[in-house]
Amino acid sequence: MSATKKKNQANAAAPERRRELLDTAAEVFAAQGYNATTVRKIADAAGMLAGSLYYHFDSKESMLDEILSSFLTELWEGYDAVLAADLGPRETIEALVTESFREIDRHRAAVAIYQKESRHLTDLPRFHYLAESQRRFEKAWLGTLERGVAEGTFRADLDVRLTYRFVRDTVWVAASWYRPGGRHRPEEIARQYLSMVLDGIATGG
């Protein structure tokens, strides 16, 4: 086999290998925490030498950045599609919750990292985008809840900020126990969750 052909095959395999390494790093970060995780620990989990990991990434910070930014980019693609669909307040909440559980299914470790680390990471210049994402997230959910109260879909006495925090925390904490490929699909978990939450905030009509 020629040197050129070998190089082309290596380049074709690189994106897949990079993805595998990021998945491994995400699991280590989620389990051990960002500060406690070293490049050597990630390399050990990936079955390679620490020096070889630097062939793909220049630092553990770069790996975490790619994990979180990829997750948030996909999350906002789904959320923006929901928010642009001109649904009613209840339907919007249902769609956002369902999309959230789908993201937990696709990026469970990234969600766990985001939950545990984002408050501290926002102090680092490289991760300032986490604070902006949080502001967008809050605006989307609070705006939908406020619209639901104004239109009579949700109770007039509903504390929208408290409800937002409850929904946010109880949805995303699922990353701590959810495992892809389990008994329930994310859409079924979302349906069960919504039946419990919305019956408590929707008007009888």
Side-chain angles (χ1 to χ4, degrees), residues 80-89 91-92 147 151:
D80 286 341
V82 170
L83 297 171
D86 197 27
L87 302 171
E91 291 73 23
T92 299
R147 181 161 59 96
E151 295 179 6

Side-chain angles (χ1 to χ4, degrees), residues 93 145 153-155 158 163 167 196-203:
I93 292 293
L145 290 167
T153 304
F154 302 143
R155 295 197 327 250
L158 188 71
T163 302
V167 172
M196 290 184 283
V197 172
L198 288 178
D199 287 343
I201 66 175
T203 58

Side-chain angles (χ1 to χ4, degrees), residues 103-136:
E103 286 304 310
I104 292 171
D105 180 63
R106 297 174 188 133
H107 301 286
R108 185 202 59 80
V111 173
I113 297 166
Y114 183 83
Q115 289 294 96
K116 295 177 184 177
E117 308 281 358
S118 59
R119 182 174 299 179
H120 308 292
L121 289 172
T122 51
D123 293 334
L124 302 176
R126 188 166 191 165
F127 295 97
H128 282 174
Y129 63 86
L130 296 177
E132 175 58 26
S133 181
Q134 180 57 40
R135 285 191 289 270
R136 290 179 64 193

Side-chain angles (χ1 to χ4, degrees), residues 5-79:
K5 188 171 183 180
K6 287 181 179 179
K7 183 177 181 180
N8 289 339
Q9 287 180 344
N11 289 339
E16 182 178 347
R17 180 55 175 160
R18 186 183 181 86
R19 183 70 260 165
E20 291 173 353
L21 292 173
L22 285 173
D23 288 344
T24 298
E27 292 294 340
V28 178
F29 285 135
Q32 301 188 16
Y34 176 67
N35 288 333
T37 297
T38 63
V39 171
R40 180 176 295 278
K41 287 182 179 179
I42 297 171
D44 288 346
M48 64 195 303
L49 297 175
S52 300
L53 196 60
Y54 284 109
Y55 174 80
H56 301 275
F57 306 95
D58 60 13
S59 65
K60 72 170 187 175
E61 184 178 81
S62 294
M63 300 184 78
L64 184 63
D65 184 16
E66 192 163 339
I67 290 165
L68 292 177
S69 61
S70 296
F71 154 60
L72 289 174
T73 295
E74 186 172 305
L75 174 72
W76 279 107
E77 286 175 355
Y79 271 26

